[in-house]
Amino acid sequence: MKWTRLFRGARPTRGARARSAAPSWTLDDVAGSADYDVVFATLREYQLREIGVVSRELRARGLRSAWVGSGAAPDARTARAADEASLDLVPIERYVAGYAKPRVLVVRSEVDDVIRGLVEHANRVGVATAALAHPVINFTRYPDPYTTSSTVLCAGRFTAARMRRTGLVITGFPGFDEYVTRERGTPESKRVLVNLSLQRGLGPKGVVLEDVRLRWMTEVRTACDAVGASFVVSRHPSDVGATYDWPVDPRSVYDLLPGAWVVISPPSTVLLEALAMGIPGVCHRDEAIAPFEMDTFDEPRGAFCNTTGVRPLVEALRAEWDQLAPPRARFRTFLDEHLALDSDRSATERIADALASLRASTRP
């Protein structure tokens, strides 16, 4: 079912108040039937890729799924990503009005008031709720990130140990299974991939000051020059700052990672993705915002180096630059703790198992 069909007849709403309106429907409405087995309500278009990995597995098991989007209509890229993910697209206004009722509602974060309201409503009307917890969570800023969903699917033991609640299931995180079969670029194409993801939410007032961002990139460029390394910059979708004369590549980080020799990044999921591919990484930090960053990368367990300032970054980069074949075993302990890669079943299968179990626990 295409977006246009789902959206037909919906009346656009305006402002945050309209978007945060709680749904009024129950599963007894409209002949008491649900439209979907699983609905993913994340509102973030760039999350469609990881959600699509799970939705395709659900479809193979005969379960229908949809994704709730934040906009009135999708752009071409979002519509194409949803089609590739075997997902129907549903505007949030339609979901609130009672269309696309699920048996299981899945969210990524409960920080957003709109998302939390959807979860609270689902709990009231008998819809099973689950949170697909990201492997990189800022527990410093959000010590209790999931308090509403009945079940939390945790990426690994590290995340689960910091959750002060019950209803936890360790499943891994979608997408990472495919990374362990990829290889990094060849020595002839040695290049540093710089992940620019100093976005909103990391500073003392919830923002990253431009001088911090500029200083961080200047240190990275200086270090790359010191070891004679060329580099390319990948911007996080939430990064809206100026790019100056930095060599920004517009392609997705997922397209750029396989060709990287080393990755330099602030605390970010991209570091996990690089390590899973066998690509060495350096976690470069700025002292001004370090107290506000997530603690996921505080204990690297020998998988990578944490650096602050130019000289430590140069030393870390030079050490990684000369290795022709860094052993994946060096990254394994860290990855197993954060992504539960030590299972005989993929994360996609384990997540689908959990969602199918929740679906089976609801009334038919």
Side-chain angles (χ1 to χ4, degrees):
M1 184 181 296
K2 299 296 184 181
W3 176 290
T4 51
R5 183 177 172 188
L6 288 168
F7 185 70
R8 188 175 299 134
R11 298 178 62 186
T13 55
R14 297 179 179 178
R17 180 178 299 176
R19 292 194 176 190
S20 62
S24 58
W25 53 266
T26 71
L27 286 180
D28 293 324
D29 295 336
V30 193
S33 62
D35 302 297
Y36 292 94
D37 297 292
V38 179
V39 165
F40 297 90
T42 66
L43 305 187
R44 303 291 191 272
E45 285 79 359
Y46 63 83
Q47 295 169 356
L48 273 171
R49 181 180 180 277
E50 61 201 34
I51 292 171
V53 175
V54 178
S55 68
R56 285 189 290 272
E57 176 67 21
L58 292 174
R59 184 177 183 179
R61 302 184 185 198
L63 300 177
R64 295 184 66 215
S65 55
W67 176 75
V68 175
S70 59
D75 57 27
R77 183 177 62 179
T78 301
R80 183 169 59 253
D83 285 342
E84 292 173 353
S86 302
L87 280 166
D88 286 344
L89 289 166
V90 184
I92 189 170
E93 290 88 350
R94 289 285 272 184
Y95 181 83
V96 169
Y99 296 84
K101 297 184 302 299
R103 290 300 181 187
V104 181
L105 179 68
V106 181
V107 300
R108 268 280 306 272
S109 171
E110 294 181 3
V111 174
D112 187 288
D113 290 339
V114 175
I115 296 295
R116 191 164 57 251
L118 298 183
V119 176
E120 291 171 346
H121 169 263
N123 288 335
R124 287 196 301 269
V125 301
V127 173
T129 56
L132 183 57
H134 197 271
V136 180
I137 298 175
N138 194 331
F139 285 100
T140 301
R141 188 176 292 275
Y142 306 108
D144 295 299
Y146 298 101
T147 59
T148 310
S149 298
S150 59
T151 301
V152 178
L153 309 182
C154 298
R157 294 183 294 274
F158 180 89
T159 301
R162 282 157 176 73
M163 297 284 185
R164 301 183 293 190
R165 52 160 294 162
T166 58
L168 303 176
V169 181
I170 296 177
T171 59
F173 198 74
F176 280 91
D177 301 303
E178 66 182 82
Y179 296 145
V180 298
T181 63
R182 294 189 182 183
E183 298 294 337
R184 68 171 180 168
T186 62
E188 291 75 20
S189 60
K190 290 170 72 169
R191 185 176 64 179
V192 173
L193 175 61
V194 178
N195 175 43
L196 185 59
S197 60
L198 294 168
Q199 66 266 22
R200 303 168 74 90
L202 291 181
K205 295 183 179 179
V207 298
V208 173
L209 300 179
E210 187 60 21
D211 61 334
V212 173
R213 188 169 171 274
L214 180 59
R215 180 171 61 241
W216 188 89
M217 257 316 299
T218 300
E219 291 176 351
V220 168
R221 167 170 269 175
T222 302
C224 288
D225 289 344
V227 300
S230 64
F231 70 95
V232 64
V233 176
S234 173
R235 298 180 72 191
H236 188 277
S238 298
D239 186 278
V240 295
T243 57
Y244 304 97
D245 61 342
W246 305 334
V248 176
D249 193 311
R251 289 178 293 171
S252 165
V253 68
Y254 303 111
D255 296 325
L256 297 172
L257 269 172
W261 188 250
V262 179
V263 171
I264 299 176
S265 173
S268 166
T269 311
V270 171
L271 272 176
L272 288 177
E273 293 165 336
L275 295 175
M277 289 186 194
I279 302 170
V282 179
C283 185
H284 189 57
R285 303 170 182 251
D286 189 284
E287 292 181 346
I289 59 174
F292 309 99
E293 293 177 321
M294 56 286 291
D295 62 355
T296 307
F297 302 94
D298 287 357
E299 299 178 10
R301 297 182 176 271
F304 56 90
C305 289
N306 279 302
T307 61
T308 302
V310 174
R311 181 174 294 180
L313 179 57
V314 169
E315 294 173 353
L317 186 55
R318 183 169 286 133
E320 300 291 6
W321 195 248
D322 295 332
Q323 294 194 52
L324 294 179
R328 287 179 182 266
R330 181 179 126 208
F331 312 143
R332 193 73 195 196
T333 300
F334 181 83
L335 291 175
D336 286 346
E337 183 178 12
H338 290 269
L339 296 171
L341 295 179
D342 49 352
S343 171
D344 58 352
R345 290 175 61 77
S346 71
T348 302
E349 292 173 321
R350 285 176 283 167
I351 293 168
D353 288 345
L355 296 180
S357 178
L358 287 173
R359 170 64 183 89
S361 69
T362 65
R363 56 182 178 172

